[in-house]
Amino acid sequence: MVKHIVTFKLSGSDKERLEVATRFKYALLQLPDVIDVLRSIEVGINQNPSESWDVVLTAVVDNMDQVEIYAKHPAHVAAAAILGKNKEARACVDYEC
């Protein structure tokens, strides 16, 4: 099993970042219903005002090949597009567990 953990830093006002993060979260939470290789996904929006990263997701798939299938799936690509011009930075870790 592989955990795919990604965090995003967004740009814009607090209100704008929260709006984008919320739309992104709910789009991602729909993905297990349409992407067969996706075992689960958890998405969190940062509640700590002293931290600068806005959103984190943990997706679980069976193997590293499936990370690529998930990433290229049209539903995932559409969800990622929600971040658009507000995506300032992205960090990712994939590991077997």
Side-chain angles (χ1 to χ4, degrees):
M1 187 166 51
V2 173
K3 288 195 178 182
H4 171 71
I5 301 174
V6 187
T7 188
F8 296 91
K9 185 183 294 189
L10 304 177
S11 62
S13 68
D14 290 347
K15 180 181 177 184
E16 189 176 25
R17 290 187 353 259
L18 179 58
E19 179 183 303
V20 170
T22 301
R23 288 189 300 131
F24 181 55
K25 175 181 179 172
Y26 288 105
L28 290 175
L29 291 176
Q30 304 306 308
L31 296 181
D33 293 335
V34 295
I35 302 177
D36 292 339
V37 299
L38 189 56
R39 284 184 168 211
S40 66
I41 193 163
E42 181 177 316
V43 184
I45 297 174
N46 185 25
Q47 301 295 306
N48 185 344
S50 66
E51 297 296 336
S52 61
W53 291 83
D54 297 286
V55 182
V56 65
L57 72 91
T58 302
V60 179
V61 295
D62 288 334
N63 57 59
M64 286 301 297
D65 291 337
Q66 291 180 349
V67 172
E68 187 172 349
I69 293 168
Y70 156 75
K72 292 180 178 180
H73 192 283
H76 175 263
V77 172
I82 291 169
L83 298 178
K85 64 181 173 122
N86 295 95
K87 184 172 75 173
E88 184 176 309
R90 175 188 179 273
C92 177
V93 173
D94 295 310
Y95 68 93
E96 291 185 4
C97 52

